[in-house]
Amino acid sequence: MAIDLKDSAALLGSRICHDLISPLGAISNGVELLTMSGVASSPEMKLIEEAVASANARVKFFRVALGGSTGAQMLARSEILKLLDGCYGGGRLTVRWEPPSDPSRTEAKVAFLALMCIETVLPQGGNIVINADRGNWQLQAYGPAIKFEPELWASLTRDSDAAIGSAQIQFVLLKEALKAIGQPPQVGHSDSAVSLRF
């Protein structure tokens, strides 16, 4: 059965990302035209190119994570790897996407929301591994310093006293998405790792 995740927040996320893609594309094209017209490469130009590439990758990532989705749509594994490399490549945080096949758009949305949640436990960077086997997803985070907030993570399964601000909104969205697909989360943690299964 195809599951639609198209609530008002998802439609708003889709609209914002759609409206941002066009001007970012124009900036990217402008930088490319400047390069082709013979403008000398400089640290400033390199900085602009990297910033535009990062912003493009982030908006496309958010379009999947925060936008509407239907179970009938698929997202190519190659596109996911490209998005993750654009968002996390070269930083203190590395993300490894292990599922070998193309997920549905809904599965990708929930996995990306879960990724946004689990990356909060690695303030000094680290590694996140994402795997899936016959509809069972697992994310594992490892790092030198684990910042696990029990009340925040408890908010995924029950009402919690955790103060949810804009920096933690992914926890609210993940809870709603998991409820919509009927997949309760399981969270485990130690001093060096955190796992999230659904």
Side-chain angles (χ1 to χ4, degrees):
M1 178 177 75
I3 298 172
D4 293 356
L5 294 181
K6 285 188 174 178
D7 57 30
S8 298
L11 292 173
L12 177 61
S14 292
R15 176 59 192 262
I16 291 171
C17 291
H18 178 270
D19 288 353
L20 288 174
I21 284 286
S22 185
L24 283 172
I27 296 169
S28 183
N29 290 338
V31 170
E32 188 175 341
L33 287 172
L34 283 172
T35 304
M36 291 170 60
S37 67
V39 172
S41 180
S42 66
E44 294 82 7
M45 186 65 75
K46 184 73 173 169
L47 185 63
I48 294 170
E49 290 173 352
E50 290 173 355
V52 170
S54 176
N56 264 315
R58 273 283 167 193
V59 169
K60 289 175 182 175
F61 177 91
F62 290 144
R63 194 175 199 176
V64 174
L66 307 178
S69 68
T70 65
Q73 298 173 315
M74 303 300 285
L75 190 61
R77 183 177 189 272
S78 59
E79 180 65 18
I80 290 172
L81 295 177
K82 185 177 177 183
L83 285 177
L84 294 178
D85 183 60
C87 292
Y88 298 98
R92 294 184 304 170
L93 186 61
T94 62
V95 177
R96 203 167 77 225
W97 182 272
E98 294 288 314
S101 57
D102 298 346
S104 71
R105 189 92 178 185
T106 297
E107 288 177 316
K109 173 186 176 71
V110 178
F112 280 15
L113 284 171
L115 172 57
M116 291 172 67
C117 290
I118 206 164
E119 72 176 289
T120 64
V121 305
L122 299 172
Q124 295 180 21
N127 303 295
I128 297 173
V129 179
I130 303 169
N131 216 324
D133 180 30
R134 290 174 288 195
N136 298 309
W137 288 78
Q138 177 175 297
L139 290 84
Q140 293 182 300
Y142 310 90
I146 297 293
K147 181 184 177 185
F148 186 84
E149 299 177 65
E151 284 300 320
L152 184 59
W153 285 92
S155 71
L156 290 176
T157 54
R158 59 176 172 79
D159 291 336
S160 168
D161 293 331
I164 303 289
S166 59
Q168 298 87 27
I169 192 62
Q170 62 269 29
F171 285 86
V172 175
L173 298 174
L174 178 60
K175 179 180 181 177
E176 292 172 357
L178 289 173
K179 184 177 179 182
I181 63 174
Q183 293 283 358
Q186 297 178 352
V187 180
H189 71 96
S190 68
D191 291 340
S192 58
V194 173
S195 67
L196 172 60
R197 296 179 176 85
F198 52 90

